[in-house]
Amino acid sequence: GNSVTQMEGPVTLSEEAFLTINCTYTATGYPSLFWYVQYPGEGLQLLLKATKADDKGSNKGFEATYRKETTSFHLEKGSVQVSDSAVYFCALRKNSGGGADGLTFGKGTHLIIQP
Amino acid sequence: EAQVTQNPRYLITVTGKKLTVTCSQNMNHEYMSWYRQDPGLGLRQIYYSMNVEVTDKGDVPEGYKVSRKEKRNFPLILESPSPNQTSLYFCASSFIIQAEQYFGPGTRLTVT
């Protein structure tokens, strides 16, 4: 079946540091890949996505590249801010055409940015 | 404003007392889904619905029921809640299953 593995954290960084949150996946075929962000007390929001190999998703300074050869979708940001403190979820969705699968999520990575 | 709403946002109840968590979306989405979020486990899908009167089990359906009588509403029903259903619940919807999912604000349920 499908699965997503990501570092759980908490990950604590200083403001303006470089961020990488690793995400690897297991799935048959060619899934779509997503990063969702959950700010304290809120629901999940889509941060970025990629639907095929070598696609790069980007939003709000965050980037992730769909690497089929390493089955990875690592999230990166060059200079984090205190406002980036949140829980980040990597997720995949099978693109099986007629399939009824929803999203498969990783366990989430709690990111804490200190001033 | 396009949104997914859930009610209640917080609920404390006792074992065995039936409860319903409502979910409503105003975007005319066909696909709706319920997830539960638990520490160290991430989000797991409970049930989903592809359209009106079409529902199916997700990964953790035991102890839950759903219905989809109208396109906009997708209530989650716990007929006899137990403490292991204490969790944070999220409803989500999308135009179709392949489209971006929009999440509600969450319902924190405690069963004592």
Side-chain angles (χ1 to χ4, degrees):
Chain A
N2 301 333
S3 67
V4 175
T5 302
Q6 62 180 111
M7 50 199 300
E8 291 186 38
V11 174
T12 304
L13 296 172
S14 297
E15 205 165 21
E16 299 183 4
F18 184 87
L19 168 71
T20 300
I21 300 178
N22 290 338
C23 171
T24 57
Y25 67 90
T26 301
T28 56
Y30 303 92
S32 294
L33 301 173
F34 306 84
W35 277 100
Y36 279 82
V37 59
Q38 183 181 30
Y39 298 104
E42 298 184 11
L44 278 72
Q45 304 172 26
L46 179 65
L47 181 59
L48 53 84
K49 68 179 180 182
T51 57
K52 62 183 187 297
D54 299 324
D55 268 2
K56 177 186 284 187
S58 61
N59 186 25
K60 300 182 180 178
F62 291 90
E63 293 182 341
T65 301
Y66 189 144
R67 301 284 188 205
K68 193 172 189 320
E69 64 276 14
T70 55
T71 61
S72 65
F73 193 53
H74 305 320
L75 183 68
E76 296 182 335
K77 186 173 184 181
S79 176
V80 292
Q81 306 299 313
V82 172
S83 58
D84 293 327
S85 298
V87 180
Y88 291 81
F89 292 91
C90 186
L92 70 79
R93 186 183 62 226
K94 284 172 57 177
N95 291 322
S96 54
D101 298 69
L103 292 166
T104 298
F105 286 90
K107 294 182 180 181
T109 300
H110 187 193
L111 176 65
I112 301 169
I113 306 301
Q114 296 177 333
Chain B
E1 180 189 355
Q3 59 183 349
V4 179
T5 57
Q6 297 179 225
N7 282 291
R9 294 290 310 280
Y10 303 91
L11 178 60
I12 300 174
T13 189
V14 297
T15 299
K17 185 176 181 183
K18 181 179 178 179
L19 66 91
T20 299
V21 183
T22 65
C23 171
S24 183
Q25 49 90 8
N26 63 0
M27 296 170 278
N28 201 35
H29 285 171
E30 291 186 353
Y31 181 86
M32 298 186 74
S33 180
W34 276 103
Y35 297 87
R36 60 177 289 173
Q37 182 182 14
D38 301 291
L41 296 176
L43 279 84
R44 294 175 292 168
Q45 191 179 46
I46 303 171
Y47 268 94
Y48 63 90
S49 169
M50 301 288 280
N51 212 324
V52 176
E53 302 291 1
V54 181
T55 64
D56 209 345
K57 297 177 181 179
D59 297 320
V60 287
E62 293 77 20
Y64 304 94
K65 287 174 57 177
V66 292
S67 68
R68 187 89 182 276
K69 292 182 169 53
E70 306 166 283
K71 199 170 189 178
R72 65 182 295 128
N73 296 323
F74 190 46
L76 180 69
I77 303 155
L78 285 72
E79 295 269 3
S80 183
S82 61
N84 64 12
Q85 293 178 298
T86 293
S87 187
L88 180 58
Y89 291 87
F90 288 101
C91 180
S93 74
S94 60
F95 181 60
I96 53 176
I97 188 172
Q98 293 88 353
E100 174 186 348
Q101 289 195 25
Y102 292 82
F103 282 78
T107 296
R108 185 165 293 281
L109 171 66
T110 302
V111 183
T112 60

